[in-house]
Amino acid sequence: MFTLILLLLLLDIPFLVADFIYPRCFWSMKQNEYESRNLGRGCIFFIKLAKYPVEKEYFSHILDIQTHTENQKYALALAFSMNDINRNPDLLPNMSLVFKFSEYNCNWKSLFKAIHLSLQNHEVLPNYNCIKEKNCGVALTGINWSATVTFHTIAKNVLFQQFLHLTYGSFHPVLSDQENFSYLYQMASEDTSLAVALVSFITYFRWNWVGLAISDNDKGIQFLSYLRREMEKNTVCFAFVSMIPVNMHLYMTRAEVHYNQIMTSSTNVVIIYGDTDSTLAVIFRMWESLGIQRIWITTSQWDVTPSKKDLTFDNIWGTLAFGQNHGGISGFKNFVQTLKPFKYSDEYLVKMEWMYFNCNVSASICKTLKNCSSHHSLEWLIKHSFDMAFIEGSYDIYNAMYAFAHALHQVTFQKVDNIPTDNGKEQNYDCKKLCSSLRKTYFTNPVGDRVNMNQRNKLQGKYDIYYIWNFPQGLGLKVKIGMFSPYFPNGQQLHLSEDMIEWATGSTQLPTSVCSADCAPGFTKFRKNKMSACCFDCSPCPENEISNETNVDFCVQCPEDQYANTEKNHCIHKALIFLTYEDPLGMTLSLMALCFSGLTTMVLGFFVKHHATPIVKANNCSLTYILLISLIFCFLCPLLYIGHPNSTTCILQQITFGAVFTVAISTVLAKTITVVLAFKVTTSPRMKYFLVSRTSNYIVPICTLIQVVICAVWLAASPPSVDTDTQYEHGHIIIVCNKGSNTAFYCVLAYLACLAFASFILAFFSRNLPGAFNEAKSITFSMMVFCSVWVTFLPVYHSTKGKIMVAVEIFSTLASSAGMLGCIFVPKCYTILFRPDRNSLQSIREKSSSPTHCS
C-alpha cells in the first residue's frame, strides 16, 4: 500500500510542474442584475438510467427552462457530464443517464413542491412513485447544506425506502455523520489541507497578523479549529475572529460591532470562509461596497466580481482565492453552444461562467494588471481562444456522475445474468449494493484526476491560488499565481510563480501584515503580559550582548576577548592594552630608567676614580660601591615592567624588585651602623672589635638572604603570572602581571619597610654626631624620601588599573631609587667637584680625631 501511494505521489509531480509551464487566466463579465448572484437558491437533480441511447440533443430541453443563471450552469455541467458518459462505450453500454431538475428556495414548503413536481412526470422518471417507491432513488443536490439536510430527511422518511444521495459544493461536517446520512456522499474533500495551504501562503509573505470572518455554524467553527492549530505551529496570530451569525436579523443587531472590529484592526489581511449563500456572503459584499481596503482571502466558490451597476471599484489590493485543483475539461463551451447556438453566444457565456485560457504574460499589452484599463483588458482578452471553465461545483457534478456510472456499471453487469430482461420491465437496483459499490469506487477521470469515493480514505485536496482583479463595467480577471499540494515534503508544498504575482499585483511582495514591526539586529523581542505571541516590543540588547538577526528572543553574550559594537549587532575583538615602549608613557619611563641608571654608573665611575680621597674612603667605601651597583639595578628593574607580559617577566619583576631593593636598603642600614660604631669606639673601647672586624659588612648578605627566603616561599606557594582584565575598560583587554599571592607581595614590601625604618631611626639619632663626612643626615633624608614614596604608592596603586597601575609601580621604583641616589651621593659629588678643600686630610684632622680606613 505504501509503495502504491509513493508511486502515485511521484506520478503527480509532472502535473504540478506543468501547471506552471502553462499558467491559466480566467475572465468573466457580470450582468446588470444583482439578483443573478442567486444567493439562497438551489436545485435538485434526479438521476435516471435509460435503457436506450440518448443523443446530445436530448438535453436541449433544459435550455428553455426559466431559472437562475447559477442553477443553469450546474444543469449544463450535469448534461455535459452525462453526455460524456453516454458516449463512452466502456461505461454502461446501450444505456444512458438522464436527469430531471427542480429549483427551490431554502424552506420546507419549497422543497416539497420541487420534489412533488419532479416525481409527477412519470415519462421522465418512470421508476418513481409519489408514495414510498421501492426502487433506489438517486438525487444530486447542492449547494446549500441546510437545504440538503432538509431534502435528505424528506426523501428518506417520506418518498423512498431506498435512497442514494450525492452532493456537490463545499464540504460540510454535518453531512459526514454516517449514522444519520449513511447513503449520502459529499463529492468535495474536507478542508483540512486548506488550513495548511492558507498558513503556508501567509508565512510565504511573512505575514503573522490576520483577521478571520466565518459563519457562526459547525462548518465555520471546525475550520477555525483547523486554522488555529496550523497558525499556532507557525506563530501566526488572529488580529480578530468575527463570527457572523447565520440569521441576518441577528447580524443587523451587531453589525456595527463587526464593522468596527475590522476597521480598528491593524491587520491588512482578512480571511473570509463560509457558504456562498450565507449571511457572511452578503456582509462581505457590503464591506467591499464601503471601500474597506484589505487583502481579502477567500475560496474560489465566492463570486467577488462586481456587476456593471456596482461602482465600488476601489480595492487597490484585489482578492486572493483558493480553489480545488483539477484538470482542465475541454469541449464544455462547444457542447453548450451546439445545443442552442443562437442563445449561447460568446458574449452570453462569458456573463454566465468563467472562461479560461492559457495566458502569456510576456505577450500582454498590459505590463501589470493594476495598470491595465478596462479597454486594454478586453483588447488583450479577445485575442485568446476560450473555453468554459468548470468551477468547483461543476467539477464535483462531473466526478459525481462518473462515480455513479462506474458503480452502476459494476452492479449492472454483476446482475445481468440473474435478471430476466424479456419481460420489458426496467431493472430494479438495491441501494445497499449500489452504495457498497459506490463506496469502493476508485478511478481516474478523463482529465487525469484520481477520484476515491471512500469517505474515510479520500485524498487530500490540492489547491490552486488565484489573484482576482475587478475592472469597471463588471469585468473580472482571475489569474492563477500558484498552487499548494499536501503531497510534497514540508517546506515545498507551496509553489508560487513570482512572474505571475508581479504581473498581477505589480510587485513580487504584497503589503505587510504584522502585529509588531521587526526588531532590528541589536534588539530583542520583549513581550508584556497578555500579549499575543505575534506581538512584542523591542528592547536593546544588554551591555556586551548582541543580536545579528531580526526578531530574536534572546541576545547572545560576546566572548570575553570581544565586545559589542555600538549598534550591538556584532562582536569586535578587544584591543590588548599593556605598557609598551611605543607608548609615550612607556617611552618616557624607560628613558628615565636608562638616564638614572646611566647617571648612577657615572657616579660609580666618579667614585672609583676618586677612591683615594677621604670623602670616598669615609663610611666604608665597599658598601658605597655595593649601594651604587644595587641602585643601577633598581633603575633598570622597571624595564621588566614594560612590554607584553609573560610568565618569565612577571616572576622576574617581583623577585628582582625585592632582591635589589633589599640589597640597597640593607647597604644603607650597614652604612648607618658603620657611622654609629665609628663614634661609639671613642666612648667604648669594646666597640672597636665590631668596627675592626667589619661586622657591618655581614648585614647585607644576611638581610638579602632573608628576602630571598621570602621570595622562595612566594614562588612555591603562588607565583606571579599573566592576568587579563576584560571588564575594566570597554573594548580593551588589559594584560597585567598578577601578583599571585598578595600576602607574599606585601610581606616583601613590609620587610623593605622594616629595613628602611631601622635605617631611618639609626640615622636620625646619629645625625648630630661629630666627625668629618657624617652620612647620617643624608641617610635620614634618603630613607624619609623612600618611605614617603612607598607609603604614597599603596593607595594610588590600588586605585588604578592597567598600564597606569604599572606606571605607578615603575614611578615609585624610580622615585625611591632617585631619592637615595640624590640624598646620599649628590652632596659627596658636590664636595669632590666644587669643594676640594673639604676633601683633604687636614680638613679631616680638624673635624675628627678618629680617621677611618677604606678596606
Side-chain angles (χ1 to χ4, degrees), residues 328-551:
I329 300 175
S330 60
F332 186 30
K333 173 185 171 184
N334 181 65
F335 169 79
V336 174
Q337 287 187 327
T338 53
L339 286 180
K340 207 165 192 178
F342 296 105
K343 179 177 181 180
Y344 291 105
S345 62
D346 285 353
E347 182 180 356
Y348 181 87
L349 291 178
V350 81
K351 294 178 180 179
M352 185 176 71
E353 182 60 284
W354 285 100
M355 309 294 286
Y356 79 87
F357 58 97
N358 291 331
C359 51
N360 185 0
V361 174
S362 60
S364 172
I365 62 174
C366 305
K367 291 185 178 180
T368 63
L369 188 57
K370 282 189 173 183
N371 297 328
C372 195
S373 67
S374 180
H375 173 74
H376 285 159
S377 300
L378 285 172
E379 184 181 339
W380 177 60
L381 291 170
I382 60 178
K383 294 181 180 179
H384 297 82
S385 58
F386 308 100
D387 202 347
M388 294 179 69
F390 259 39
I391 60 175
E392 291 181 26
S394 300
Y395 189 69
D396 289 341
I397 292 173
Y398 184 80
N399 284 334
M401 285 303 95
Y402 264 96
F404 175 68
H406 278 281
L408 191 61
H409 180 91
Q410 183 179 6
V411 172
T412 299
F413 287 95
Q414 281 180 348
K415 294 177 61 178
V416 71
D417 294 332
N418 302 324
I419 297 179
T421 57
D422 55 346
N423 57 3
K425 294 184 179 180
E426 298 200 17
Q427 184 173 336
N428 293 328
Y429 291 94
D430 184 357
C431 255
K432 290 185 179 180
K433 291 184 179 180
L434 191 57
C435 288
S436 176
S437 176
L438 186 64
R439 190 176 292 111
K440 298 175 184 177
T441 300
Y442 182 88
F443 65 96
T444 301
N445 66 15
V447 298
D449 292 338
R450 295 184 297 277
V451 180
N452 186 357
M453 292 301 293
N454 190 324
Q455 300 290 311
R456 296 181 179 178
N457 298 326
K458 271 196 172 183
L459 299 174
Q460 287 185 298
K462 298 180 293 184
Y463 292 91
D464 290 328
I465 305 171
Y466 302 100
Y467 180 82
I468 303 175
W469 185 254
N470 295 325
F471 294 92
Q473 303 302 315
L475 174 63
L477 189 61
K478 183 167 69 173
V479 181
K480 180 179 176 182
I481 62 173
M483 72 173 300
F484 174 87
S485 174
Y487 304 108
F488 279 128
N490 288 334
Q492 303 177 24
Q493 296 172 327
L494 182 69
H495 299 268
L496 293 174
S497 170
E498 292 192 355
D499 291 338
M500 296 302 293
I501 294 174
E502 186 172 6
W503 179 73
T505 66
S507 172
T508 56
Q509 290 294 323
L510 294 176
T512 60
S513 184
V514 294
C515 178
S516 303
D518 289 338
C519 288
F523 290 83
T524 180
K525 293 192 293 186
F526 170 72
R527 289 185 178 86
K528 297 178 181 177
N529 292 335
K530 297 182 180 180
M531 260 191 173
S532 172
C534 305
C535 304
F536 48 82
D537 293 329
C538 297
S539 175
C541 288
E543 186 68 25
N544 210 38
E545 293 186 12
I546 65 160
S547 63
N548 53 11
E549 296 179 357
T550 58
N551 296 335

Side-chain angles (χ1 to χ4, degrees), residues 610-625:
H610 298 86
H611 69 280
T613 61
I615 199 169
V616 176
K617 292 180 180 181
N619 302 104
N620 196 328
C621 59
S622 298
L623 292 177
T624 301
Y625 298 152

Side-chain angles (χ1 to χ4, degrees), residues 263-281:
M263 288 301 297
T264 58
S265 173
S266 59
T267 182
N268 288 325
V269 178
V270 179
I271 300 172
I272 306 292
Y273 183 84
D275 295 322
T276 57
D277 58 351
S278 63
T279 305
L280 178 60

Side-chain angles (χ1 to χ4, degrees), residues 747-760:
C747 285
V748 170
L749 291 182
Y751 181 69
L752 290 175
C754 290
L755 293 178
F757 187 71
S759 300
F760 173 77

